[in-house]
Amino acid sequence: MIPAAFEYVAPTSVEEALAALAEHGDDAKIIAGGQSLLPVLRMRLNAPEWVIDLGRIESLRGVSDRGDHLAIGAMTTHHDVGQDPLVHEHALLISKAITHLADAQVRHRGTFGGALAHADPAGDLGAPALALGSTFVVQGPGGTREVAASDFFVDLFETAISDDEILTEVRVPKHAGWGAAYEKFVRIAHQWPIVAVAATVRMEGDTIAEARIGLTNMGSTPVRAEAAEQALAGVPATEEGVAAAAALAADGTNPPSDLNGDADYRRHLATVLTRRAVLAAAGRS
């Protein structure tokens, strides 16, 4: 299908983009890589009068070292984030997740910030960003503010970004030396996950000193498997020890039921995938 007619503007700075957003308000939609918005426009599920393209704002691209964290520009493509040596060294979990994200074409066109702002609970980046304790930087008419990952994802396709704001940067605390794994269960390759688990662990010898686990598609937003994280602390990285803690992974979650599986099936998958992800992150798979 062909999208409904719209006006197009491609600002070259965040300030210009914010001005265009303020001028056109509810009649405008922001486009980043377009991997989520373009299909919606083509099916005419949304028909904005204006499309504001962030693709020419160079200041929103790239990965930089900021001391205790990495700063990832919102318009950096998935491919560039996944291949960046800083991300591989300090946020391995994100690199691991990106290898499972859609296909090569989407990874070269889609953007890190765009996917997170879209806030699809089945998206592959929300759980890793949450597990790593990321901070989201948004800019609006009143200036810049920071939003913790735990507050950023509000509900299904809803974030803490206001209608007059733009996500500019994601700050990821460094986790150098932590093992990481992303386990994703799908029926067809490159599909949205029925359930996925993002796990990163810090080892002390053969013992798991600390674990951080994010769950994909286990609710209307990405969620932390906090009970499993607490149970893993101080546990030997053995099949038996990890399995006992992984059994708690779905505690407190509210997974959906659909044609791919009901809520109980997803809870079961979460425990299985958590065990696999933690063992892989610990180097035991």
Coordinates of all heavy atoms in Angstrom, one line a residue, residues 207-280:
T207 N 32.1 -18.9 41.0 CA 30.8 -18.5 41.6 C 30.3 -17.2 41.0 O 31.0 -16.3 40.6 CB 31.1 -18.2 43.1 OG1 31.5 -19.4 43.8 CG2 29.8 -17.7 43.8
I208 N 29.0 -17.2 40.8 CA 28.3 -16.0 40.3 C 28.2 -14.9 41.4 O 27.5 -15.1 42.4 CB 26.9 -16.3 39.8 CG1 27.0 -17.3 38.6 CG2 26.2 -15.0 39.4 CD1 25.6 -17.8 38.2
A209 N 29.0 -13.9 41.3 CA 29.0 -12.8 42.3 C 27.7 -11.9 42.2 O 27.2 -11.4 43.1 CB 30.2 -12.0 42.2
E210 N 27.4 -11.7 40.9 CA 26.2 -10.7 40.7 C 25.6 -11.1 39.3 O 26.4 -11.4 38.4 CB 26.8 -9.3 40.7 CG 25.7 -8.2 40.6 CD 26.3 -6.8 40.7 OE1 27.5 -6.7 40.9 OE2 25.5 -5.9 40.6
A211 N 24.3 -11.0 39.2 CA 23.6 -11.2 37.9 C 22.6 -10.1 37.7 O 22.0 -9.6 38.6 CB 23.0 -12.6 38.0
R212 N 22.4 -9.8 36.4 CA 21.4 -8.9 36.0 C 20.7 -9.5 34.8 O 21.3 -9.9 33.8 CB 22.0 -7.5 35.6 CG 22.8 -6.9 36.8 CD 23.5 -5.6 36.3 NE 22.5 -4.5 36.2 CZ 22.1 -3.7 37.2 NH1 22.7 -3.8 38.4 NH2 21.2 -2.7 37.0
I213 N 19.3 -9.6 34.9 CA 18.6 -10.3 34.0 C 17.3 -9.5 33.5 O 16.6 -9.0 34.4 CB 18.1 -11.7 34.5 CG1 19.2 -12.5 35.0 CG2 17.2 -12.4 33.5 CD1 18.8 -13.7 35.8
G214 N 17.2 -9.3 32.2 CA 16.0 -8.7 31.7 C 15.2 -9.6 30.8 O 15.8 -10.5 30.1
L215 N 13.9 -9.5 30.9 CA 13.0 -10.4 30.2 C 12.2 -9.7 29.1 O 11.7 -8.6 29.3 CB 12.0 -11.0 31.1 CG 12.5 -11.7 32.4 CD1 11.3 -12.2 33.2 CD2 13.4 -12.9 32.0
T216 N 12.2 -10.3 27.9 CA 11.5 -9.7 26.7 C 10.2 -10.4 26.5 O 10.1 -11.7 26.5 CB 12.4 -9.9 25.5 OG1 13.6 -9.2 25.7 CG2 11.7 -9.3 24.2
N217 N 9.1 -9.6 26.3 CA 7.8 -10.2 26.0 C 7.2 -10.9 27.1 O 6.4 -11.9 26.9 CB 7.8 -11.0 24.7 CG 6.5 -10.8 23.9 OD1 5.7 -9.9 24.2 ND2 6.4 -11.6 22.8
M218 N 7.5 -10.5 28.4 CA 6.9 -11.1 29.5 C 6.0 -10.1 30.3 O 5.7 -10.3 31.4 CB 8.0 -11.6 30.5 CG 8.7 -12.9 30.0 SD 7.6 -14.3 29.9 CE 7.4 -14.6 31.7
G219 N 5.5 -9.1 29.5 CA 4.6 -8.1 30.1 C 4.5 -7.0 29.1 O 4.9 -7.1 27.9
S220 N 3.8 -5.9 29.5 CA 3.6 -4.8 28.5 C 4.9 -4.0 28.4 O 4.9 -3.1 27.5 CB 2.5 -3.9 29.0 OG 2.7 -3.4 30.3
T221 N 5.9 -4.2 29.2 CA 7.2 -3.6 29.1 C 8.3 -4.6 29.4 O 8.0 -5.7 29.9 CB 7.3 -2.4 30.1 OG1 7.3 -3.0 31.5 CG2 6.2 -1.4 30.0
P222 N 9.5 -4.3 29.1 CA 10.6 -5.2 29.5 C 10.6 -5.2 31.1 O 10.3 -4.2 31.7 CB 11.9 -4.5 29.0 CG 11.4 -3.6 27.9 CD 10.0 -3.1 28.3
V223 N 11.0 -6.3 31.6 CA 11.0 -6.5 33.1 C 12.3 -7.1 33.6 O 12.9 -7.9 32.8 CB 9.8 -7.3 33.6 CG1 8.5 -6.6 33.3 CG2 9.8 -8.7 32.9
R224 N 12.7 -6.8 34.8 CA 13.8 -7.5 35.4 C 13.4 -8.7 36.2 O 12.3 -8.7 36.8 CB 14.5 -6.5 36.4 CG 15.2 -5.3 35.8 CD 16.6 -5.7 35.4 NE 17.5 -6.0 36.6 CZ 18.2 -5.1 37.3 NH1 18.0 -3.8 37.0 NH2 18.9 -5.5 38.3
A225 N 14.1 -9.7 36.1 CA 13.9 -11.0 36.9 C 14.6 -10.9 38.2 O 15.6 -11.5 38.5 CB 14.4 -12.2 36.1
E226 N 14.1 -10.0 39.1 CA 14.8 -9.7 40.3 C 14.9 -10.8 41.3 O 15.9 -11.0 41.9 CB 14.1 -8.5 40.9 CG 14.1 -7.2 40.1 CD 13.5 -6.0 40.8 OE1 12.8 -6.2 41.8 OE2 13.6 -4.9 40.3
A227 N 13.9 -11.7 41.3 CA 14.0 -12.8 42.3 C 15.1 -13.7 41.8 O 15.9 -14.3 42.7 CB 12.6 -13.5 42.3
A228 N 15.2 -14.0 40.5 CA 16.2 -14.9 40.0 C 17.6 -14.2 40.2 O 18.6 -14.9 40.6 CB 16.0 -15.2 38.6
E229 N 17.7 -12.9 40.0 CA 19.0 -12.2 40.2 C 19.5 -12.4 41.7 O 20.7 -12.7 41.9 CB 18.8 -10.7 39.9 CG 18.6 -10.4 38.5 CD 18.3 -8.9 38.3 OE1 18.2 -8.2 39.3 OE2 18.3 -8.5 37.1
Q230 N 18.6 -12.2 42.6 CA 19.0 -12.3 44.0 C 19.3 -13.7 44.4 O 20.3 -14.0 45.1 CB 17.8 -11.8 44.9 CG 17.5 -10.3 44.8 CD 16.2 -9.9 45.4 OE1 15.6 -10.7 46.2 NE2 15.7 -8.7 45.2
A231 N 18.6 -14.7 43.8 CA 18.9 -16.1 44.1 C 20.2 -16.5 43.5 O 20.9 -17.5 44.0 CB 17.8 -17.0 43.6
L232 N 20.7 -15.9 42.4 CA 21.9 -16.3 41.8 C 23.2 -15.8 42.5 O 24.3 -16.3 42.3 CB 21.9 -15.8 40.3 CG 21.1 -16.6 39.4 CD1 20.9 -15.8 38.1 CD2 21.7 -17.9 39.1
A233 N 23.0 -14.7 43.3 CA 24.2 -14.1 44.0 C 24.8 -15.2 44.9 O 24.2 -15.7 45.8 CB 23.8 -12.9 44.7
G234 N 26.1 -15.5 44.7 CA 26.9 -16.4 45.5 C 26.7 -17.8 45.2 O 27.2 -18.7 45.9
V235 N 26.0 -18.1 44.1 CA 25.7 -19.5 43.7 C 26.8 -20.0 42.7 O 27.2 -19.3 41.8 CB 24.3 -19.6 43.0 CG1 24.1 -21.0 42.4 CG2 23.2 -19.3 44.0
P236 N 27.3 -21.2 42.9 CA 28.2 -21.8 41.9 C 27.6 -21.9 40.6 O 26.4 -22.2 40.4 CB 28.5 -23.2 42.5 CG 28.1 -23.1 43.9 CD 27.0 -22.2 44.0
A237 N 28.3 -21.6 39.5 CA 27.8 -21.6 38.2 C 27.7 -23.1 37.7 O 28.4 -23.5 36.7 CB 28.7 -20.8 37.3
T238 N 26.8 -23.8 38.3 CA 26.6 -25.2 37.9 C 25.1 -25.3 37.4 O 24.3 -24.5 37.7 CB 26.7 -26.2 39.1 OG1 25.8 -25.8 40.1 CG2 28.1 -26.1 39.7
E239 N 24.9 -26.4 36.7 CA 23.6 -26.6 36.1 C 22.5 -26.6 37.2 O 21.4 -26.0 37.1 CB 23.5 -27.9 35.4 CG 22.2 -28.3 34.7 CD 22.1 -27.6 33.3 OE1 23.2 -27.4 32.7 OE2 21.0 -27.4 32.9
E240 N 22.8 -27.3 38.3 CA 21.8 -27.4 39.4 C 21.6 -26.1 40.1 O 20.4 -25.7 40.4 CB 22.3 -28.4 40.4 CG 22.4 -29.9 39.9 CD 23.6 -30.1 39.0 OE1 24.6 -29.2 39.1 OE2 23.7 -31.1 38.3
G241 N 22.7 -25.4 40.4 CA 22.5 -24.1 41.1 C 21.8 -23.1 40.3 O 20.9 -22.4 40.8
V242 N 22.1 -23.0 39.1 CA 21.5 -22.0 38.2 C 20.1 -22.3 37.9 O 19.2 -21.5 37.9 CB 22.3 -21.8 36.9 CG1 21.5 -21.0 35.9 CG2 23.7 -21.2 37.1
A243 N 19.8 -23.6 37.8 CA 18.4 -24.0 37.5 C 17.5 -23.7 38.6 O 16.3 -23.2 38.4 CB 18.3 -25.5 37.2
A244 N 17.9 -23.8 39.9 CA 17.1 -23.5 41.0 C 16.7 -22.0 41.0 O 15.6 -21.6 41.3 CB 17.8 -23.9 42.3
A245 N 17.7 -21.2 40.7 CA 17.5 -19.7 40.7 C 16.6 -19.3 39.5 O 15.7 -18.5 39.6 CB 18.8 -19.0 40.7
A246 N 16.9 -20.0 38.3 CA 16.2 -19.6 37.1 C 14.7 -20.0 37.2 O 13.8 -19.4 36.5 CB 16.8 -20.4 35.9
A247 N 14.3 -20.9 38.1 CA 12.9 -21.2 38.3 C 12.1 -20.1 38.8 O 10.9 -20.1 38.7 CB 12.8 -22.4 39.3
L248 N 12.8 -19.0 39.3 CA 12.1 -17.9 39.9 C 12.0 -16.7 38.8 O 11.5 -15.7 39.1 CB 12.9 -17.3 41.1 CG 13.1 -18.3 42.2 CD1 14.0 -17.7 43.3 CD2 11.8 -18.8 42.8
A249 N 12.5 -17.0 37.6 CA 12.6 -15.9 36.6 C 11.3 -15.2 36.3 O 11.2 -14.0 36.1 CB 13.2 -16.4 35.4
A250 N 10.2 -16.0 36.3 CA 8.9 -15.5 35.9 C 8.1 -14.9 37.0 O 7.0 -14.4 36.8 CB 8.1 -16.5 35.2
D251 N 8.6 -14.9 38.2 CA 7.9 -14.4 39.4 C 7.5 -12.9 39.2 O 8.4 -12.1 38.8 CB 8.7 -14.5 40.7 CG 8.8 -15.9 41.2 OD1 8.4 -16.8 40.4 OD2 9.3 -16.1 42.3
G252 N 6.3 -12.6 39.4 CA 5.8 -11.2 39.3 C 5.6 -10.7 37.9 O 5.3 -9.5 37.7
T253 N 5.7 -11.6 36.9 CA 5.5 -11.1 35.5 C 4.1 -11.3 35.1 O 3.3 -12.0 35.7 CB 6.4 -11.9 34.5 OG1 6.1 -13.3 34.6 CG2 7.9 -11.7 34.9
N254 N 3.7 -10.6 34.0 CA 2.3 -10.7 33.5 C 2.4 -10.9 32.0 O 2.0 -10.0 31.2 CB 1.5 -9.5 33.8 CG 0.1 -9.6 33.5 OD1 -0.5 -10.7 33.4 ND2 -0.5 -8.4 33.2
P255 N 2.8 -12.1 31.5 CA 3.0 -12.3 30.1 C 1.7 -12.4 29.3 O 0.7 -12.8 29.9 CB 3.8 -13.6 30.0 CG 3.4 -14.3 31.3 CD 3.2 -13.3 32.3
P256 N 1.7 -12.0 28.1 CA 0.5 -12.1 27.3 C 0.2 -13.5 26.8 O 1.0 -14.4 26.9 CB 0.8 -11.2 26.0 CG 2.3 -11.4 25.9 CD 2.8 -11.5 27.3
S257 N -1.1 -13.7 26.4 CA -1.5 -15.0 25.8 C -1.9 -14.6 24.4 O -2.7 -13.7 24.2 CB -2.7 -15.6 26.5 OG -2.2 -16.1 27.8
D258 N -1.4 -15.3 23.4 CA -1.8 -15.1 22.0 C -1.6 -16.4 21.2 O -1.4 -17.5 21.8 CB -1.0 -14.0 21.4 CG 0.5 -14.2 21.5 OD1 1.0 -15.4 21.5 OD2 1.3 -13.2 21.6
L259 N -1.6 -16.3 19.9 CA -1.5 -17.5 19.1 C -0.2 -18.2 19.2 O -0.1 -19.4 18.9 CB -1.8 -17.2 17.6 CG -3.2 -16.7 17.2 CD1 -3.2 -16.3 15.8 CD2 -4.2 -17.8 17.5
N260 N 0.8 -17.5 19.7 CA 2.2 -18.1 19.8 C 2.3 -18.9 21.1 O 3.3 -19.7 21.3 CB 3.2 -17.1 19.7 CG 3.4 -16.5 18.3 OD1 3.5 -17.3 17.4 ND2 3.5 -15.2 18.2
G261 N 1.4 -18.6 22.1 CA 1.5 -19.3 23.4 C 0.8 -18.6 24.4 O 0.7 -17.3 24.4
D262 N 0.3 -19.3 25.4 CA -0.4 -18.6 26.5 C 0.6 -18.2 27.6 O 1.8 -18.4 27.5 CB -1.5 -19.5 27.1 CG -1.0 -20.8 27.7 OD1 0.2 -20.9 28.0 OD2 -1.8 -21.7 27.9
A263 N 0.1 -17.5 28.6 CA 0.9 -17.0 29.6 C 1.7 -18.0 30.4 O 2.9 -17.8 30.7 CB 0.0 -16.2 30.6
D264 N 1.1 -19.2 30.7 CA 1.8 -20.2 31.4 C 3.0 -20.8 30.5 O 4.1 -21.1 31.1 CB 0.9 -21.4 31.8 CG 0.0 -21.0 32.9 OD1 0.3 -20.0 33.6 OD2 -1.1 -21.6 33.1
Y265 N 2.8 -20.9 29.2 CA 3.8 -21.4 28.3 C 5.0 -20.4 28.4 O 6.2 -20.8 28.4 CB 3.2 -21.5 26.9 CG 4.2 -21.9 25.9 CD1 5.0 -23.1 26.0 CD2 4.5 -21.1 24.8 CE1 5.9 -23.5 25.0 CE2 5.4 -21.5 23.8 CZ 6.1 -22.7 23.9 OH 6.9 -23.1 22.9
R266 N 4.7 -19.1 28.3 CA 5.7 -18.1 28.4 C 6.5 -18.1 29.7 O 7.7 -17.9 29.7 CB 5.1 -16.7 28.1 CG 4.8 -16.4 26.6 CD 4.4 -15.0 26.4 NE 4.5 -14.6 25.0 CZ 3.6 -14.8 24.1 NH1 2.5 -15.3 24.4 NH2 3.8 -14.4 22.8
R267 N 5.8 -18.3 30.8 CA 6.5 -18.4 32.1 C 7.4 -19.6 32.1 O 8.6 -19.5 32.6 CB 5.4 -18.6 33.2 CG 4.6 -17.3 33.4 CD 3.7 -17.4 34.7 NE 2.9 -16.3 34.8 CZ 1.6 -16.3 34.5 NH1 1.0 -17.3 33.9 NH2 0.9 -15.2 34.6
H268 N 7.0 -20.7 31.5 CA 7.9 -21.9 31.4 C 9.1 -21.5 30.5 O 10.3 -21.8 30.9 CB 7.2 -23.1 30.8 CG 8.0 -24.2 30.4 ND1 8.7 -25.0 31.4 CD2 8.4 -24.7 29.2 CE1 9.4 -25.9 30.8 NE2 9.3 -25.7 29.5
L269 N 8.9 -20.9 29.4 CA 10.0 -20.5 28.5 C 11.0 -19.6 29.3 O 12.2 -19.7 29.1 CB 9.5 -19.8 27.3 CG 8.9 -20.6 26.2 CD1 8.3 -19.8 25.1 CD2 9.9 -21.6 25.6
A270 N 10.5 -18.7 30.0 CA 11.3 -17.7 30.8 C 12.3 -18.4 31.7 O 13.5 -18.1 31.8 CB 10.5 -16.7 31.5
T271 N 11.8 -19.5 32.4 CA 12.7 -20.2 33.3 C 13.8 -21.0 32.5 O 14.9 -21.0 32.9 CB 11.9 -21.2 34.2 OG1 11.2 -22.2 33.4 CG2 10.8 -20.4 35.0
V272 N 13.3 -21.6 31.4 CA 14.3 -22.4 30.6 C 15.3 -21.5 30.0 O 16.6 -21.8 30.0 CB 13.5 -23.2 29.5 CG1 14.5 -23.9 28.5 CG2 12.6 -24.2 30.1
L273 N 14.9 -20.4 29.4 CA 15.8 -19.5 28.7 C 16.7 -18.8 29.7 O 17.9 -18.5 29.4 CB 15.1 -18.5 27.9 CG 14.2 -19.1 26.7 CD1 13.5 -18.0 26.0 CD2 15.1 -19.8 25.7
T274 N 16.2 -18.5 30.9 CA 17.1 -17.9 31.9 C 18.2 -18.8 32.3 O 19.3 -18.4 32.4 CB 16.2 -17.5 33.1 OG1 15.3 -16.5 32.7 CG2 17.1 -16.9 34.2
R275 N 17.9 -20.0 32.5 CA 18.9 -21.0 32.8 C 20.0 -21.1 31.7 O 21.2 -21.0 32.0 CB 18.3 -22.4 33.0 CG 19.3 -23.5 33.3 CD 18.7 -24.9 33.5 NE 17.8 -25.2 32.4 CZ 18.1 -25.8 31.3 NH1 19.4 -26.0 31.0 NH2 17.2 -26.1 30.4
R276 N 19.5 -21.2 30.5 CA 20.5 -21.2 29.4 C 21.3 -19.9 29.3 O 22.6 -20.0 29.1 CB 19.7 -21.4 28.1 CG 19.0 -22.8 28.0 CD 18.3 -22.8 26.6 NE 17.5 -24.1 26.5 CZ 16.7 -24.3 25.5 NH1 16.5 -23.4 24.5 NH2 16.1 -25.5 25.4
A277 N 20.7 -18.8 29.4 CA 21.4 -17.5 29.3 C 22.4 -17.3 30.4 O 23.5 -16.9 30.1 CB 20.4 -16.4 29.3
V278 N 22.0 -17.6 31.6 CA 23.0 -17.4 32.7 C 24.2 -18.4 32.6 O 25.3 -18.0 32.8 CB 22.2 -17.6 34.1 CG1 23.2 -17.7 35.2 CG2 21.2 -16.5 34.3
L279 N 23.9 -19.6 32.3 CA 25.0 -20.6 32.1 C 26.0 -20.1 30.9 O 27.2 -20.2 31.1 CB 24.5 -22.0 31.8 CG 23.9 -22.7 33.0 CD1 23.2 -24.0 32.6 CD2 25.0 -23.0 34.1
A280 N 25.3 -19.6 29.9 CA 26.2 -19.2 28.7 C 27.0 -17.9 29.1 O 28.1 -17.8 28.8 CB 25.3 -18.8 27.5

